[in-house]
Amino acid sequence: MTFEDVPDDWPTRPLSDQVLAADLLDLCVTDQDRMKGGLSLLLCRRDDTLAQPVFVGDIPDPDELSFTVERMLEITGEVPEVASVVLSIVRHWGSVTDADRALHQHAIEVCGRTGIRLLGTFLVTSAGVTPLPVASALLSRHGAA
């Protein structure tokens, strides 16, 4: 599956399906967003279906990226209709770095504090969408596929 052939019933499918989550990120994160760089969040309902995509761009340095993840997840935790999120690090080019892994770990910790379920973390570039590995303990605790 790719963003060009997502199933017609995708709005009813949970984004705990990592393939569907990656395809929707590929669809929602524009080429312009990828050139700019930033963060993308797919805010999800209690049944893990997409409620709202969000993009935050123009984040100048890694410390601000970490702060932005924390603030966005804290704010998301205050929205009653939102129970889970798919997070992506967006940039023009490159592969997964240690900084991406550290940001992913930070997101896991913030989600633990806020009660938001992290369904997955991805790197989105002009070359495509790459999932960051999810520990099996996280999968069982949060119900991600």
Side-chain angles (χ1 to χ4, degrees):
M1 192 168 32
T2 69
F3 77 89
E4 295 174 335
D5 63 357
V6 292
D8 290 338
D9 67 342
W10 71 262
T12 66
R13 293 188 183 196
L15 296 189
S16 55
D17 175 339
Q18 297 289 284
V19 174
L20 180 60
D23 290 342
L24 287 181
L25 283 168
D26 202 23
L27 179 65
C28 292
V29 180
T30 67
D31 290 338
Q32 183 179 10
D33 293 341
R34 295 171 204 225
M35 293 296 291
K36 182 186 301 186
L39 293 171
S40 174
L41 292 95
L42 300 180
L43 306 181
C44 300
R45 299 176 185 90
R46 294 189 200 306
D47 63 358
D48 297 335
T49 59
L50 180 63
Q52 180 68 46
V54 176
F55 178 76
V56 181
D58 296 324
I59 304 169
D61 67 53
D63 290 336
E64 288 192 37
L65 194 62
S66 180
F67 174 77
T68 303
V69 165
E70 188 161 346
R71 274 310 287 144
M72 291 300 296
L73 291 172
E74 289 170 349
I75 291 166
T76 298
E78 296 175 12
V79 179
E81 297 81 18
V82 176
S84 56
V85 65
V86 174
L87 174 69
S88 67
I89 303 157
V90 180
R91 64 174 168 263
H92 177 62
W93 199 253
S95 58
V96 174
T97 66
D98 287 342
D100 298 335
R101 290 180 194 91
L103 189 64
H104 178 173
Q105 181 60 41
H106 182 64
I108 291 169
E109 292 166 6
V110 173
C111 282
R113 287 195 314 265
T114 62
I116 294 290
R117 286 179 290 114
L118 181 62
L119 300 178
T121 303
F122 296 80
L123 172 65
V124 178
T125 68
S126 295
V129 179
T130 304
L132 275 78
V134 178
S136 58
L138 181 66
L139 289 173
S140 62
R141 228 185 351 199
H142 294 294

